[in-house]
Amino acid sequence: DQQVKQNSPSLSVQEGRISILNCDYTNSMFDYFLWYKKYPAEGPTFLISISSIKDKNEDGRFTVFLNKSAKHLSLHIVPSQPGDSAVYFCAASASDQGGKLIFGQGTELSVKP
Amino acid sequence: KAGVTQTPRYLIKTRGQQVTLSCSPISGHRSVSWYQQTPGQGLQFLFEYFSETQRNKGNFPGRFSGRQFSNSRSEMNVSTLELGDSALYLCASSLMPSGGNQPQHFGDGTRLSIL
């Protein structure tokens, strides 16, 4: 039972354009959501998070949107840069279920110059 | 500021052996979580320690165990290794226990290969 799903294994975007990475979840008890970026041979790097009491959080080029009714979140990267090419994981946790992170399977983003 | 440090980076073992992996959290972080990453299962939660106590445990057999020391450093141990234990083992630390809306910060992992 996959509680967090990233249905697109890969995404290719032109440099300077917007990258939109999507994530769906099934557990309505999730109250904290995070995005991580991972390069090969490195651990995941925390990018941005959002609490369930918000619907948007912005940090520089990165914006996360949360639609609780649709159980959907997305990460927008504007403008996309070649250095953004990596695997992006969304993760979710439920504070009353111990808060452990449940990860999606990841989306590989390729930003072409 | 030093990040999460995991040692060793690479390890090769044979079936039936046991292994101990080490994790030093970011200075001041008291919560340490362990995850297993495999191509088929993705990133899966193993367990979390806070103040030397296991707070949470994932769906892994009892061969997987861990502990945390008073300086917040953590070790995980896998006994009677199986081929399926080949994976990247990641450690993450945070200021407070998970569930407090605190991001977890990951180390670069230990790549364990079982022959």
Side-chain angles (χ1 to χ4, degrees):
Chain A
D1 173 29
Q2 206 173 341
Q3 297 184 66
V4 179
K5 295 180 185 178
Q6 294 176 257
N7 292 317
S8 298
S10 62
L11 175 68
S12 184
V13 171
Q14 207 68 32
E15 181 180 5
R17 306 295 288 268
I18 183 172
S19 295
I20 300 176
L21 297 109
N22 294 304
C23 181
D24 297 298
Y25 62 95
T26 57
N27 188 343
S28 57
M29 300 306 293
F30 287 147
D31 54 11
Y32 186 54
F33 304 87
L34 309 89
W35 283 94
Y36 286 86
K37 176 171 74 172
K38 188 179 186 300
Y39 294 118
E42 294 183 12
T45 300
F46 170 71
L47 276 176
I48 192 169
S49 63
I50 188 167
S51 164
S52 60
I53 62 173
K54 295 186 174 181
D55 54 19
K56 177 183 174 182
N57 189 25
E58 199 169 351
D59 184 1
R61 296 186 299 115
F62 302 92
T63 303
V64 55
F65 294 91
L66 175 62
N67 182 334
K68 287 188 291 294
S69 60
K71 293 192 179 68
H72 177 83
L73 67 154
S74 60
L75 174 68
H76 292 208
I77 306 174
V78 184
S80 301
Q81 300 172 353
D84 295 330
S85 297
V87 178
Y88 288 77
F89 291 94
C90 69
S93 70
S95 55
D96 68 347
Q97 293 176 5
K100 64 185 181 184
L101 292 180
I102 307 297
F103 283 86
Q105 293 294 90
T107 296
E108 184 171 10
L109 174 66
S110 176
V111 180
K112 301 192 182 305
Chain B
K1 187 177 182 182
V4 177
T5 304
Q6 292 188 246
T7 56
R9 287 297 309 276
Y10 303 93
L11 205 48
I12 298 175
K13 291 285 187 178
T14 57
R15 280 181 298 174
Q17 287 187 309
Q18 67 96 26
V19 68
T20 299
L21 312 181
S22 180
C23 172
S24 293
I26 292 171
S27 178
H29 284 194
R30 295 170 60 197
S31 172
V32 173
S33 297
W34 289 88
Y35 294 82
Q36 181 197 63
Q37 185 181 26
T38 58
Q41 299 298 318
L43 272 153
Q44 291 191 293
F45 173 79
L46 279 157
F47 28 65
E48 180 194 10
Y49 287 87
F50 179 78
S51 293
E52 303 176 65
T53 302
Q54 187 181 91
R55 287 189 73 246
N56 212 342
K57 192 176 190 305
N59 295 324
F60 281 82
R63 300 186 296 108
F64 291 81
S65 62
R67 59 177 175 168
Q68 187 181 34
F69 302 94
S70 58
N71 61 358
S72 294
R73 193 177 70 84
S74 177
E75 289 180 348
M76 68 163 278
N77 184 278
V78 188
S79 62
T80 320
L81 286 165
E82 300 176 359
L83 292 177
D85 297 333
S86 294
L88 179 67
Y89 290 88
L90 291 160
C91 168
S93 75
S94 59
L95 276 169
M96 297 300 292
S98 57
N101 288 4
Q102 293 268 331
Q104 295 181 23
H105 299 272
F106 284 81
D108 287 337
T110 294
R111 172 72 64 186
L112 175 63
S113 299
I114 310 303
L115 303 180

